[in-house]
C-alpha cells in the first residue's frame, strides 16, 4: 500500500467520481481506476461501488477511508513541521553535566547573545546526569557536550575512557570537595568537620544508591564517612536539598567551595587530605562539528573555570 493509493482513494471519495478525481490529481482516469483496483485487491475489500452516475463508498470503504485520511493527515503534519523548521533555521544545543551550576552560569552569561532580535529560533536542553550517563549521552549523540569531573588521583582514567568511547576531552580546571551548610550551623561555628556526620546528610543523585555518598569515590569522602550518618536524605533534584539545608542542620557535599548560588546564606569547608581535589573536563564526540552556539557556551564555561 502506497501514499499514492491512499490519496487517490480519498480524492475519489470526496469527488464521488473517478473522472473528477483524475482531473484534480492531474492524471488519467485509467490511472486512478487501475490504482484503486490494485488497492482493493491488495486489501481484499471493495472500497467503492461503481455506478453509471459515479461511485458509492461501501461500509468497508468508509472504515478504510477514515484510516487513510488519518495517515495522510499525519504525513502532511510531519512534512509541514520540518518545512517550517527549515524556514526558521532553528538551531539546537543539548548539554549534559554532572553539576547543574556548570549549566546555569554559562547560560546566564549568554543571555545578551541569545535574546538579540536577529538571533535564530533556538532550542536548548540542559540536563544534570551522572558521570557515566554524561559520557553515554555524548557518545550516542544525545548531547553535543558533556561536563564531568573525577578525583585528581584517578585522572589517568580519562584518556582510556575517552578512547573507548571515541570522545575528545579538554581539561577545564580543578576544585576541592567541600562540605556545605548554613552559616549558623553548629559545625560552622566550631570551624571543624570532625563530627559533621553526626548531622543529617543530603545527597543529590539520579538513581537511588544506599552505599555511595558522592558521585566519584575519593579518599577524602571515604575518610569523612568512616562513620556513616544516622540520617541520609537522597533526592534527584538539588534545589530541594539546598532548601532543606538552608532551614536545618543538614549538610551536603559540593565539588567546589560554595560560591555558585546567591539564594542561601551557606558556608563551606574543604575536606581534609589530598584526595579531595577534582579535575573537571568537557567532552565532545570526535569528528563532530562545533556549532557557533556551542562555541559560545564553551567560551563562557572556560571563563567560569
Amino acid at each position: 500500500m502506497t501514499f499514492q493509493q491512499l490519496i487517490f482513494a480519498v480524492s475519489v471519495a470526496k469527488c464521488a467520481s473517478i473522472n473528477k478525481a483524475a482531473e484534480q490529481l492531474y492524471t488519467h482516469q485509467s490511472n486512478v481506476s487501475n490504482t484503486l483496483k490494485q488497492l482493493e485487491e491488495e486489501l481484499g475489500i471493495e472500497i467503492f461501488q461503481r455506478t453509471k452516475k459515479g461511485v458509492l463508498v461501501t461500509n468497508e470503504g468508509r472504515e478504510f477511508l477514515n484510516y487513510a485520511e488519518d495517515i495522510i493527515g499525519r504525513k502532511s503534519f510531519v512534512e509541514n513541521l520540518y518545512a517550517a523548521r527549515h524556514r526558521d533555521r532553528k538551531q539546537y544545543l543539548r548539554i549534559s553535566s554532572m553539576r547543574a551550576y556548570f549549566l546555569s552560569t554559562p547560560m546566564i552569561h549568554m543571555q545578551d547573545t541569545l535574546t538579540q532580535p536577529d538571533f535564530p529560533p533556538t532550542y536548548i536542553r540542559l540536563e544534570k546526569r551522572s558521570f557515566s550517563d554524561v559520557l553515554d549521552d555524548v557518545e550516542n549523540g544525545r548531547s553535543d557536550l558533556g561536563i564531568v569531573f573525577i578525583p585528581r588521583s584517578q585522572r589517568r582514567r580519562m584518556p582510556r575512557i575517552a578512547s573507548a568511547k571515541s570522545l575528545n576531552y579538554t581539561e577545564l580546571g580543578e576544585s576541592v570537595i567541600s562540605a556545605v551548610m548554613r552559616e549558623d550551623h553548629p559545625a560552622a561555628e566550631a570551624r571543624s568537620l570532625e563530627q559533621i556526620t553526626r548531622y543529617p546528610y543530603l545527597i543529590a543523585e539520579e538513581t537511588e544508591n544506599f552505599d555511595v555518598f558522592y558521585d566519584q569515590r575519593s579518599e577524602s569522602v571515604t575518610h569523612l564517612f568512616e562513620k556513616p550518618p544516622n540520617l541520609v536524605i537522597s533526592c534527584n533534584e538539588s534545589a530541594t536539598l539546598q532548601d532543606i539545608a538552608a532551614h536545618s542542620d543538614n549538610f551536603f557535599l559540593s565539588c567546589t567551595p560554595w560560591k555558585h548560588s546567591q539564594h542561601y546564606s551557606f558556608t563551606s569547608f574543604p575536606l581534609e587530605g589530598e584526595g579531595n581535589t577534582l579535575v573537571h573536563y568537557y567532552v565532545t564526540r570526535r569528528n563532530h562539528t562545533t556549532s557557533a552556539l556551542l562555541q559560545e557556551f564553551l567560551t563562557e564555561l572556560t571563563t567560569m573555570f
Side-chain angles (χ1 to χ4, degrees):
M1 185 170 58
T2 66
F3 276 108
Q4 184 186 56
Q5 289 174 321
L6 299 181
I7 292 170
F8 279 15
V10 170
S11 296
V12 169
K14 289 181 178 179
C15 295
S17 166
I18 293 178
N19 287 332
K20 291 181 180 179
E23 291 178 5
Q24 290 189 0
L25 294 167
Y26 300 101
T27 187
H28 298 292
Q29 178 270 339
S30 59
N31 185 29
V32 176
S33 182
N34 291 334
T35 298
L36 291 180
K37 184 177 180 181
Q38 292 172 0
L39 178 61
E40 289 175 325
E41 290 176 352
E42 180 181 342
L43 297 176
I45 64 173
E46 184 182 42
I47 301 173
F48 300 104
Q49 286 183 346
R50 280 74 170 173
T51 69
K52 293 182 179 180
K53 295 183 178 180
V55 295
L56 298 175
V57 179
T58 65
N59 290 332
E60 287 182 314
R62 189 170 293 106
E63 179 185 31
F64 167 78
L65 289 168
N66 284 335
Y67 291 126
E69 290 176 353
D70 181 60
I71 294 171
I72 293 171
R74 290 175 183 270
K75 176 177 180 289
S76 177
F77 171 79
V78 173
E79 290 173 340
N80 293 335
L81 173 66
Y82 285 95
R85 287 185 176 183
H86 180 71
R87 290 195 301 271
D88 293 337
R89 298 182 297 119
K90 182 177 286 187
Q91 54 184 348
Y92 297 84
L93 178 62
R94 297 176 176 85
I95 304 173
S96 298
S97 172
M98 289 177 66
R99 283 294 183 268
Y101 49 87
F102 295 153
L103 299 170
S104 61
T105 300
M107 196 56 55
I108 291 170
H109 292 163
M110 290 174 62
Q111 288 305 298
D112 287 344
T113 299
L114 297 174
T115 56
Q116 290 293 322
D118 59 345
F119 199 77
T122 303
Y123 179 86
I124 299 174
R125 169 68 175 176
L126 308 174
E127 193 160 13
K128 179 181 177 294
R129 304 273 276 163
S130 68
F131 178 84
S132 58
D133 287 339
V134 169
L135 298 180
D136 287 345
D137 285 349
V138 179
E139 178 188 16
N140 296 315
R142 290 189 295 269
S143 290
D144 303 295
L145 177 73
I147 307 167
V148 297
F149 60 80
I150 57 175
R152 185 166 61 184
S153 60
Q154 300 177 26
R155 68 191 310 167
R156 291 183 179 179
R157 295 174 53 203
M158 203 61 201
R160 296 196 297 269
I161 295 172
S163 177
K165 292 182 172 291
S166 298
L167 302 176
N168 293 323
Y169 68 98
T170 302
E171 184 173 327
L172 287 164
E174 296 183 348
S175 68
V176 293
I177 304 174
S178 300
V180 183
M181 64 210 74
R182 58 186 174 85
E183 285 186 339
D184 55 352
H185 191 285
E189 296 174 3
R191 308 293 295 180
S192 172
L193 296 178
E194 290 182 4
Q195 297 182 336
I196 188 65
T197 52
R198 62 185 283 196
Y199 300 101
Y201 176 59
L202 307 171
I203 180 170
E205 52 186 355
E206 297 303 308
T207 57
E208 191 174 52
N209 191 324
F210 294 99
D211 301 319
V212 177
F213 292 106
Y214 202 60
D215 306 77
Q216 293 287 306
R217 297 183 183 275
S218 76
E219 296 176 3
S220 296
V221 174
T222 301
H223 176 72
L224 179 69
F225 291 107
E226 285 181 348
K227 181 184 178 183
N230 289 330
L231 174 61
V232 176
I233 301 175
S234 167
C235 183
N236 64 346
E237 203 276 315
S238 57
T240 298
L241 300 181
Q242 292 174 22
D243 197 45
I244 294 173
H247 300 91
S248 67
D249 286 342
N250 292 261
F251 76 100
F252 61 91
L253 296 183
S254 170
C255 65
T256 66
W258 189 258
K259 58 183 179 181
H260 50 267
S261 174
Q262 306 301 319
H263 301 297
Y264 302 109
S265 296
F266 285 155
T267 188
S268 60
F269 300 95
L271 271 59
E272 297 179 354
E274 297 181 359
N276 68 345
T277 301
L278 302 173
V279 185
H280 301 260
Y281 303 89
Y282 73 78
V283 295
T284 56
R285 291 193 310 282
R286 289 181 185 171
N287 303 319
H288 177 66
T289 303
T290 302
S291 66
L293 184 59
L294 177 54
Q295 188 57 56
E296 176 82 8
F297 184 92
L298 286 173
T299 298
E300 296 296 343
L301 180 68
T302 53
T303 299
M304 181 187 76
F305 273 89

